[in-house]
Amino acid sequence: MGKNIIILNGSPRRNGNTSALVEKFTQGARKAGHTVSEFFLGDMNIHGCKGCLSGHSSRPCPCVQKDDMDRIYPAMRTCDVMVLASPLYYWNFSGQLRTAMDRLFALEEHDGNFLRGHNRACALLMAAEGHGFEDALTYYQHLLEHLRWTDLGHVLAGGNMDVGDITGKPELEQAYALGQSIA
Ligand SMILES: Cc1cc2nc3c(=O)[nH]c(=O)nc-3n(C[C@H](O)[C@H](O)[C@H](O)COP(=O)(O)O)c2cc1C
């Protein structure tokens, strides 16, 4: 049966290198029969976590803040696979993606944990000018350990600064293969 896959795209550039990876991944996943929904975070109204620890995971809107996270929470509850997609910004995920990740914490609060476990899996797509992905990869690994999600793999496309730099590069086919490999 096809999996329900959601992609959190943290690039602010709709036609950028991260989005090119997302597009190829999506093509591969759809070819394999999966359903893919992308959230382009840069166009969404998502505020930073307030650290109030007042979330209620079982509520339809688990966070005290009301913003576009209310589109992501229901998708998160029902997904099998979450894909994190981001440009490398100062050796880490973009602020757009980090902000959304922090807000997912509301799904872990008070009424049971609706984020951790649940037989979910995760994959990572990133683009960067250089190749300094180590810290971002370490963060991703810690995150998955915490969430107890299976790691499906990653595509890290270095050597891409400007929009379009990734065109024709092998990482695009790797992203397609990663999407298609999901079983
Ligand atoms: C704020 C900012 C920080 C960046 N930091 C890094 C970095 O630490 N290492 C790196 O190799 N590239 C860095 N870059 C370059 C981007 O990762 C690169 O342009 C990437 O292709 C952007 O992806 P996009 O096309 O999806 O937006 C940075 C770019 C910006 C705008």
Side-chain angles (χ1 to χ4, degrees):
M1 204 174 90
K3 294 269 166 70
N4 186 3
I5 301 172
I6 67 168
I7 302 176
L8 301 185
N9 184 347
S11 171
R13 302 198 292 194
R14 267 209 180 273
N15 300 313
N17 301 306
T18 307
S19 296
L21 292 169
V22 166
E23 190 180 335
K24 279 292 181 182
F25 175 93
T26 300
Q27 287 172 9
R30 288 193 174 138
K31 180 86 178 165
H34 305 302
T35 302
V36 183
S37 311
E38 178 189 354
F39 292 94
F40 191 78
L41 303 173
D43 282 354
M44 297 173 72
N45 177 33
I46 298 175
H47 298 277
C49 175
K50 290 185 178 298
C52 65
L53 306 181
S54 300
H56 284 273
S57 56
S58 66
R59 294 180 184 167
C61 304
C63 183
V64 298
Q65 299 190 70
K66 303 300 167 222
D67 58 18
D68 286 343
M69 279 304 292
D70 286 343
R71 290 164 50 197
I72 295 179
Y73 290 129
M76 187 66 241
R77 287 181 201 279
T78 55
C79 80
D80 305 300
V81 175
M82 185 170 85
V83 178
L84 303 177
S86 179
L88 188 69
Y89 276 4
Y90 291 116
W91 305 277
N92 208 324
F93 294 177
S94 69
Q96 288 88 337
L97 182 56
R98 286 289 297 106
T99 300
M101 291 302 304
D102 287 349
R103 293 286 304 286
L104 290 178
F105 187 67
L107 288 169
E108 299 204 57
E109 288 187 282
H110 286 130
D111 310 331
N113 200 316
F114 287 76
L115 189 66
R116 217 171 185 183
H118 297 274
N119 291 320
R120 292 201 179 101
C122 195
L124 176 66
L125 305 173
M126 294 194 79
E129 179 187 22
H131 294 83
F133 293 105
E134 296 88 354
D135 290 355
L137 205 48
T138 300
Y139 166 79
Y140 172 74
Q141 285 157 353
H142 284 307
L143 184 70
L144 263 57
E145 276 170 34
H146 166 74
L147 294 173
R148 300 176 189 154
W149 292 355
T150 303
D151 184 11
L152 297 175
H154 53 258
V155 177
L156 307 175
N160 302 294
M161 185 61 177
D162 296 322
V163 168
D165 280 355
I166 201 168
T167 305
K169 294 202 177 155
E171 287 87 354
L172 291 176
E173 289 318 309
Q174 291 167 19
Y176 183 95
L178 182 57
Q180 198 176 24
S181 72
I182 293 171

